[in-house]
């Protein structure tokens, strides 16, 4: 009886191994994966463009204090240099001719970048924050030594 059960078990295992036909591809999953790859490529292209203009300047939307994925990617690329530096100055920029409370917006941008960098492991004690409302620009300038 044991031999019979072993033979049945062995044959069922072999039958499972014999089915090596490829599984059908889920078209929805394939389309989602393709879209994710295209989105990632577009994001990398925008990060490359920002880095080519000025790698130490993170642009912000004129009316936003929030760091977007392009800015996050740019900061992540700069992270090894930032961690190797002795100090980092984060200067928030918001032109007062474009925004009513430019000082608060510039400070909020700098704090947003600081919080992101601290979240990635940069020591908060090495970071200082400044702001500028005179230049006609919107973003954050990183100065590190």
């Amino acid at each position: 009886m044991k031999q019979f059960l072993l033979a049945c078990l062995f044959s069922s295992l072999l039958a499972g191994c014999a089915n090596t036909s490829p599984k059908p591809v889920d078209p929805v999953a394939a389309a989602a994966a393709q879209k994710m790859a295209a989105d990632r490529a577009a994001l990398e292209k925008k990060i490359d463009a920002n880095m080519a203009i000025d790698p130490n300047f993170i642009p912000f939307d004129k009316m936003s204090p929030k760091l977007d994925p392009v800015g996050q990617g740019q900061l992540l690329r700069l992270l090894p240099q930032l961690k190797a530096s002795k100090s980092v100055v984060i200067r928030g920029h918001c032109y007062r001719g474009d925004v009513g409370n430019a000082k608060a917006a510039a400070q909020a941008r700098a704090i947003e970048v600081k919080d992101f960098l601290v979240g990635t492991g940069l020591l908060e004690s090495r970071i200082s924050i400044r702001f500028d409302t005179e230049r006609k620009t919107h973003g954050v300038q990183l100065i590190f030594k």
Side-chain angles (χ1 to χ4, degrees), residues 12-131:
S12 65
L13 286 174
L14 286 178
C17 292
N19 187 6
T20 59
S21 62
K23 294 185 179 182
V25 176
D26 180 12
V28 174
Q34 191 174 24
K35 183 179 180 340
M36 283 177 46
D39 290 347
R40 182 70 186 165
L43 178 65
E44 291 294 328
K45 187 174 181 180
K46 289 178 183 177
I47 294 168
D48 290 341
N50 280 358
M51 296 291 284
I53 294 169
D54 183 354
N56 298 335
F57 186 78
I58 315 301
F60 276 65
D61 182 51
K62 182 177 12 178
M63 301 305 286
S64 176
K66 296 293 178 190
L67 187 62
D68 64 9
V70 176
Q72 290 175 358
Q74 196 171 344
L75 288 170
L76 289 173
R77 286 190 186 177
L78 290 170
L79 198 57
Q81 293 170 298
L82 291 167
K83 284 187 175 182
S85 66
K86 292 181 181 180
S87 66
V88 177
V89 176
I90 301 172
R91 185 177 305 273
H93 292 272
C94 184
Y95 181 55
R96 64 183 173 169
D98 290 340
V99 178
N101 195 351
K103 179 181 175 182
Q107 289 174 330
R109 291 171 180 169
I111 290 169
E112 179 86 4
V113 169
K114 176 185 174 188
D115 291 345
F116 180 82
L117 292 174
V118 168
T120 62
L122 192 64
L123 295 176
E124 187 173 2
S125 62
R126 294 176 25 208
I127 300 172
S128 59
I129 292 180
R130 305 282 184 268
F131 68 92

